[in-house]
């Protein structure tokens, strides 16, 4: 029976805390400009009082911002308070293992859901939904320590709830690969998507320019690799052989790291890697930290089970290679010294295959979950003491039922990609999904469905003027504009206005109603909105006084080529006018604001004598001149420094290597890294072990070194308690 996933669970929870930290911190610096009373889309419009009671309002529109008036806060300050609480809780959970608790993650989920409800178009991204779904799963995965005395190292049902993270990762990756083909996008079918992707993504990095220079045959081969990693490899998430799961893990990490290097996708790729930790096991993470329990006990000839496992593993790799060659027409051209590739199947054949495998994949996932449930039930039976055995079984029943419920309702968004399979689901599952849909417990995914900017990257360029004759371009901090400026590196911060500017350029300005409000705020000279464009006032050309006229032009941008030998990163060409020339009081602008319901009277902020509003306003003034990436990386640097200092202190306190003692037999309580009492594995306190706990050592149970050679496995060099 496999060990409980203590260390992988610790990685998942710590990584999720880091993702929450990026999400809350990034949003906090943008709230005044996006959602303030003078922002682009004031959040107070969403929370209009309807005369209902508090509980009715929470039921119809679940957000903690309804409680703001009772604290003397308006909607903007309420959002800032929620963000600050989220930053505080996530930072504490990142630093301190005891705070990676179910209650803490429940609070983080409620805080982000409350912000999501009023976030409107600026929070409608798939990674926001992914963070909410992963955050809800963390409530089930994390231990409950704050309300219980002591800290059990593991619970028999941990592997059941932990499996849900693997299922979420499977749905994310498999759907992202499938939608690229079901969309009928010619670039994905022609394997040429990456020849456009690097320059047309929202905010590329400098490495994207170099990746764009790679030869076409390599770009096409990279698309083939993307299909293999996103469509074929996710099936191995449920493989019974651990080496196949580890192969799937490193494949996913490789893809996400390459995306991180070439694109600024905020916390999304980090969160995906965090979910991939659900593919790891206790032994493999132990090797990373030098605390592996397994010893090299290889013998010859190998056992029958080992031989069959190796044979199945090699067969799987061979099939992946064969199918890749067969279905993507891989051929080596020795004369041209390149690897040719093409899609060797039709759209009809693919949809037929998808229809045939969707429900069997659901069945495979159900069998995998059932196995975890049965294994957890076996662990409950091994707990000592009748009372604790009954208590463990009760917990197992509750969490197994919760896991089955989450799995069932997730089938609805998962089968959206194949409508016939979706229609075959039991109607009760559809009803249950509809009942919880507003809480973002499960979602559908499908990233990079279609490749945009095939004829050039569309980009909106704002221009301002005082006389309507001479125009000055308004440069954004992050999105492309100045052709001589290098692409920035801003992840894990997400400049949400820059992202929406990218979407706005793909269609007429009427498809982005918020753009009219954005232009209106710039004409008014609203400082909070201007800081979304440029934090440094010296970089904003109209910092002295607002422009009298504004307009927007649509350009096409392309990366320059290495053959040009130019110092420019971009080249561009004017296409057409995107937004007409307007000024304050202009009938065109007034009609647009009235049409979209964005024209209302701005209420003056009443000075409050309460302490909380004044504290929040003081914190805002302190953070106002600091860019979002600087704030986030400062927090991460502090966390890394604290963890490093703790590791050094633990090493210094270790002193001379202790005398090696004869280790207990396998199966004894000490073999599990602690003492067993009433069916729970309890961690030894530092005073009992003569050592201190560290930060970020990869342990789910917080155990430190206890062996004489400095590599602790919880078995050697410990004394059994009498």
């Amino acid at each position: 029976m496999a060990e409980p996933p203590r260390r992988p669970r610790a990685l998942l929870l710590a990584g999720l805390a880091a993702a929450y930290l990026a999400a809350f911190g990034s949003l906090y610096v943008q709230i005044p400009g996006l959602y303030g009373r003078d922002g682009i889309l004031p959040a107070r419009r969403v929370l209009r009082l309807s005369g209902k009671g508090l509980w009715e309002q929470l039921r119809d529109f679940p957000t903690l911002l309804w409680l703001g008036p009772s604290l003397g806060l308006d909607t903007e300050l309420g959002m800032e308070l929620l963000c600050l609480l989220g930053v505080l809780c996530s930072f504490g959970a990142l630093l301190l293992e005891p705070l990676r608790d179910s209650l803490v993650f429940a609070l983080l989920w409620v805080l982000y859901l409350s912000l999501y409800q009023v976030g409107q178009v600026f929070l409608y991204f798939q990674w926001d939904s992914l963070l909410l779904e992963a955050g809800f799963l963390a409530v089930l995965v994390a231990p409950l320590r704050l309300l219980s005395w002591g800290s059990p190292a593991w619970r028999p049902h941990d592997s059941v709830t932990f499996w849900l993270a693997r299922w979420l990762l499977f749905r994310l990756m498999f759907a992202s690969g499938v939608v690229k083909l079901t969309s009928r996008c010619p670039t994905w079918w022609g394997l040429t998507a990456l020849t456009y992707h690097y320059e047309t993504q929202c905010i590329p990095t400098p490495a994207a320019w170099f990746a764009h220079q790679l030869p076409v045959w390599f770009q096409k081969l990279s698309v083939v690799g993307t299909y293999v990693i996103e469509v074929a490899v996710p099936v191995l998430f449920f493989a019974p052989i651990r080496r196949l799961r580890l192969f799937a893990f490193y494949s996913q990490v490789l893809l996400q790291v390459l995306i991180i290097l070439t694109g600024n996708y905020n916390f999304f790729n980090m969160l995906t890697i965090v979910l991939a930790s659900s593919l790891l096991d206790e032994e493999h993470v132990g090797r990373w930290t030098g605390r592996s329990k397994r010893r090299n006990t290889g013998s010859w000839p190998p056992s029958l089970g080992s031989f069959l496992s190796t044979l199945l593993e090699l067969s799987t790799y061979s099939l992946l290679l064969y199918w890749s060659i067969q279905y993507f027409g891989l051929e080596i051209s020795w004369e041209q010294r390149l690897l040719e590739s093409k899609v060797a199947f039709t759209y009809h054949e693919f949809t037929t295959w998808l229809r045939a495998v969707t429900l069997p994949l659901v069945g495979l996932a159900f069998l995998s979950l059932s196995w975890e449930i049965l294994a957890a039930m076996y662990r409950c039976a091994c707990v000592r003491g009748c009372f604790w055995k009954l208590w463990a079984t009760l917990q197992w029943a509750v969490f197994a039922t919760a896991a089955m419920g989450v799995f069932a309702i997730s089938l609805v968004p998962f089968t959206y990609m194949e409508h016939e399979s979706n229609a075959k689901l039991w109607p009760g599952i559809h009803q249950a999904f509809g009942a919880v849909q507003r809480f973002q417990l499960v979602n559908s995914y499908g990233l990079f469905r279609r490749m945009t900017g095939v004829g050039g990257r569309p980009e909106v360029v704002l221009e301002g003027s005082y006389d309507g004759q001479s125009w000055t371009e308004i440069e954004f901090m992050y999105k492309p504009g100045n052709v001589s400026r290098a692409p920035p590196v801003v992840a894990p911060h997400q400049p949400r206005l820059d992202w929406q500017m990218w979407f706005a350029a793909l269609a007429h300005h009427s498809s982005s109603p918020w753009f009219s409000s954005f232009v209106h705020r710039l004409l008014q000279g609203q400082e909070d909105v201007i800081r979304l464009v440029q934090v440094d006032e010296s970089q904003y050309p109209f910092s002295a006084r607002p422009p009298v006229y504004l307009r927007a032009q649509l350009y096409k941008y392309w990366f320059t080529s290495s053959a040009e030998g130019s110092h420019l990163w971009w080249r561009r060409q004017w296409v057409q006018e995107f937004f007409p020339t307007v000024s304050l009081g202009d009938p065109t602008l007034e009609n647009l604001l009235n049409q979209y319901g964005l024209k209302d009277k701005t209420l003056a902020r009443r000075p409050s004598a309460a302490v909380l509003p004044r504290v929040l306003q003081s914190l805002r003034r302190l953070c106002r001149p600091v860019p979002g990436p600087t704030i986030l990386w400062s927090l991460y640097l502090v966390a890394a420094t604290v963890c490093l200092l703790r590791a050094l202190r633990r090493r210094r306190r270790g002193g001379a290597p202790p005398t090696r003692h004869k280790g207990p037999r396998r199966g004894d309580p000490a073999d599990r890294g602690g003492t067993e009492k009433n069916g729970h594995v309890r961690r030894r306190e530092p005073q009992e072990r003569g050592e201190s706990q560290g930060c970020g050592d990869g342990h789910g149970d917080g155990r430190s070194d206890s062996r004489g050679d400095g590599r602790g496995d919880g078995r050697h060099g410990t004394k059994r308690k009498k």
Side-chain angles (χ1 to χ4, degrees):
M1 190 65 63
E3 290 185 89
R6 295 188 291 264
R7 295 185 180 107
R9 182 185 68 174
L11 288 178
L12 176 71
L13 298 179
L16 190 56
Y20 266 127
L21 180 61
F24 283 112
S26 175
L27 183 60
Y28 172 75
V29 299
Q30 304 175 76
I31 284 178
L34 294 179
Y35 305 113
R37 58 180 55 241
D38 297 320
I40 299 175
L41 294 177
R44 58 186 172 83
R45 294 197 184 103
V46 182
L47 290 179
R48 295 188 182 276
L49 297 177
S50 58
K52 298 181 180 179
L54 176 61
W55 292 112
E56 292 179 315
Q57 291 174 330
L58 289 173
R59 180 197 62 195
D60 298 337
F61 199 76
T63 174
L64 295 179
L65 293 173
W66 292 118
L67 304 175
S70 61
L71 299 176
L73 304 176
D74 58 14
T75 306
E76 176 187 354
L77 290 178
M79 294 183 70
E80 292 187 8
L81 176 61
L82 296 185
C83 275
L84 290 174
L85 288 176
V87 169
L88 182 63
C89 292
S90 56
F91 188 71
L94 181 60
L95 281 180
L96 304 173
E97 184 182 350
L99 289 182
R100 297 170 200 162
D101 185 84
S102 179
L103 294 179
V104 174
F105 282 103
L107 176 60
L108 289 171
W109 179 77
V110 171
L111 292 174
Y112 204 73
L113 178 65
S114 299
L115 296 168
Y116 178 86
Q117 296 292 341
V118 299
Q120 305 169 76
V121 69
F122 292 108
L123 271 174
Y124 290 167
F125 293 98
Q126 291 197 47
W127 33 83
D128 294 308
S129 300
L130 180 65
L131 180 60
L132 283 171
E133 183 170 352
F136 174 74
L137 295 184
V139 179
L140 301 177
V141 172
L144 186 61
R145 294 165 172 162
L146 298 181
L147 294 182
S148 59
W149 182 83
S151 178
W154 63 277
R155 302 165 300 180
H157 61 264
D158 276 345
S159 59
V160 177
T161 53
F162 192 64
W163 180 92
L164 293 174
R166 186 184 307 178
W167 171 240
L168 172 57
L169 178 68
F170 173 81
R171 291 191 289 116
L172 171 66
M173 301 309 301
F174 186 77
S176 296
V178 165
V179 298
K180 293 176 173 60
L181 294 171
T182 56
S183 66
R184 297 192 180 187
C185 178
T187 62
W188 286 115
W189 278 91
L191 303 182
T192 59
L194 291 185
T195 61
Y196 306 101
H197 165 72
Y198 297 115
E199 69 178 3
T200 60
Q201 59 184 320
C202 181
I203 305 178
T205 65
W209 185 91
F210 294 96
H212 184 73
Q213 314 303 321
L214 295 172
V216 175
W217 71 267
F218 187 84
Q219 306 281 25
K220 297 175 70 174
L221 183 63
S222 299
V223 176
V224 174
T226 301
Y227 282 136
V228 173
I229 293 176
E230 291 187 346
V231 178
V233 172
V235 181
L236 302 181
F237 294 175
F238 311 113
I241 302 175
R242 65 184 297 268
R243 286 195 296 266
L244 289 178
R245 297 194 300 272
L246 294 177
F247 169 76
F249 167 79
Y250 285 109
S251 299
Q252 303 303 319
V253 171
L254 173 63
L255 177 62
Q256 299 307 318
V257 169
L258 292 176
I259 296 176
I260 290 173
L261 293 176
T262 57
N264 289 285
Y265 291 96
N266 52 81
F267 57 84
F268 164 66
N269 305 111
M270 173 176 62
L271 181 56
T272 306
I273 294 176
V274 168
L275 292 174
S277 64
S278 60
L279 302 174
L280 300 174
D281 55 25
E282 190 77 2
E283 169 65 21
H284 194 73
V285 180
R287 291 184 179 181
W288 291 353
T289 58
R291 294 171 173 83
S292 176
K293 291 183 178 181
R294 184 171 297 180
R295 299 292 180 267
N296 294 326
T297 57
S299 59
W300 188 262
S303 63
L304 178 61
S306 177
F307 174 76
L308 293 177
S309 176
T310 304
L311 182 62
L312 180 59
E313 183 181 357
L314 294 177
S315 300
T316 301
Y317 299 146
S318 301
L319 285 176
L320 281 176
L321 181 60
Y322 172 76
W323 285 336
S324 300
I325 297 174
Q326 184 74 15
Y327 291 108
F328 292 100
L330 299 180
E331 294 181 359
I332 299 178
S333 177
W334 298 105
E335 297 180 356
Q336 301 178 0
R337 296 183 180 181
L338 53 82
L339 183 61
E340 298 179 347
S341 56
K342 63 179 180 180
V343 174
F345 52 88
T346 65
Y347 177 79
H348 175 72
E349 290 173 339
F350 178 75
T351 54
T352 302
W353 172 84
L354 181 62
R355 188 180 307 114
V357 303
T358 300
L359 291 182
L361 286 175
V362 171
L364 175 64
F366 176 76
L367 291 177
S368 178
L369 175 59
S370 300
W371 170 257
E372 296 293 346
I373 292 176
L374 292 176
M377 183 175 64
Y378 173 78
R379 294 192 185 101
C380 292
C382 296
V383 172
R384 297 180 181 178
C386 294
F387 173 78
W388 295 107
K389 192 187 301 290
L390 179 62
W391 175 240
T393 304
L394 178 61
Q395 293 183 78
W396 165 84
V398 171
F399 282 91
T401 303
M404 289 297 295
V406 172
F407 172 73
I409 61 175
S410 69
L411 298 181
V412 176
F414 172 66
T415 54
Y416 280 162
M417 60 186 179
E418 209 292 298
H419 297 291
E420 291 188 11
S421 300
N422 184 269
K424 293 179 181 178
L425 296 178
W426 181 47
I429 296 179
H430 286 276
Q431 296 175 1
F433 172 74
V436 300
Q437 188 174 8
R438 57 184 170 176
F439 297 106
Q440 300 295 310
L441 300 185
V442 292
N443 300 279
S444 61
Y445 303 98
L447 298 167
F448 303 108
R449 185 184 303 268
R450 298 187 65 88
M451 190 56 57
T452 60
V454 174
R457 172 198 181 95
E459 198 68 57
V460 174
V461 176
L462 273 172
E463 297 176 343
S465 173
Y466 289 119
D467 56 9
Q469 299 298 324
S470 59
W471 296 89
T472 303
E473 291 188 9
I474 298 177
E475 183 76 12
F476 282 67
M477 285 185 291
Y478 308 117
K479 84 177 192 68
N482 187 349
V483 295
S484 62
R485 191 189 66 173
V489 176
V490 300
H493 173 62
Q494 182 185 359
R496 295 183 180 266
L497 175 61
D498 296 66
W499 270 86
Q500 287 302 330
M501 290 289 289
W502 181 81
F503 284 106
L506 301 178
H508 191 263
H509 70 79
S510 59
S511 301
S512 304
W514 59 268
F515 191 83
S516 300
S517 178
F518 174 50
V519 171
H520 184 232
R521 297 307 189 192
L522 290 182
L523 289 171
Q524 291 177 331
Q526 298 295 341
E527 294 183 358
D528 291 329
V529 177
I530 292 174
R531 286 190 180 90
L532 297 177
V533 179
Q534 287 289 347
V535 173
D536 186 359
E537 293 183 359
S538 63
Q539 300 298 320
Y540 185 69
F542 302 100
S543 57
R545 61 189 179 96
V548 178
Y549 301 96
L550 274 179
R551 70 182 185 184
Q553 305 290 342
L554 184 66
Y555 284 83
K556 288 292 184 68
Y557 276 66
W558 298 270
F559 270 143
T560 57
S561 64
S562 56
E564 296 178 14
S566 173
H567 66 282
L568 302 178
W569 291 84
W570 300 94
R571 57 185 177 88
R572 72 180 187 180
Q573 179 182 348
W574 181 84
V575 178
Q576 63 184 14
E577 184 181 68
F578 178 78
F579 196 84
T581 302
V582 295
S583 60
L584 284 178
D586 187 279
T588 301
L589 181 59
E590 294 295 318
N591 290 336
L592 289 173
L593 294 176
N594 290 325
Q595 177 184 349
Y596 302 137
L598 299 173
K599 182 68 173 178
D600 60 357
K601 295 181 179 180
T602 301
L603 303 177
R605 187 189 296 273
R606 297 179 179 178
S608 176
V611 176
L612 184 57
R614 287 187 294 172
V615 171
L616 293 175
Q617 292 169 6
S618 299
L619 289 175
R620 169 59 60 191
R621 286 192 292 270
L622 289 174
C623 298
R624 184 167 292 171
V626 185
T630 303
I631 293 178
L632 292 182
W633 282 112
S634 298
L635 292 173
Y636 285 136
L637 183 60
V638 170
T641 303
V642 171
C643 291
L644 179 61
L645 292 177
R646 287 184 175 180
L648 293 176
R649 184 179 62 179
R650 183 177 68 244
R651 176 170 295 184
R652 287 198 303 267
R653 288 187 177 183
T659 305
R660 185 181 299 274
H661 297 279
K662 183 178 179 181
R665 294 175 298 174
R666 179 172 289 275
D668 286 348
D671 181 54
R672 303 180 186 179
T675 59
E676 186 168 319
K677 180 180 180 181
N678 295 332
H680 286 276
V681 177
R682 184 178 63 85
R683 294 185 300 171
R684 300 184 303 277
E685 297 299 327
Q687 293 80 2
E688 297 175 291
R689 295 178 294 174
E691 59 197 20
S692 61
Q693 294 179 341
C695 174
D697 59 357
H699 282 280
D701 56 359
R703 292 177 294 164
S704 300
D705 294 353
S706 56
R707 287 184 50 203
D709 57 359
R711 297 169 52 204
D713 59 1
R715 293 185 300 160
H716 300 281
T718 59
K719 295 183 179 181
R720 193 182 307 173
K721 297 183 65 177
K722 299 296 183 181

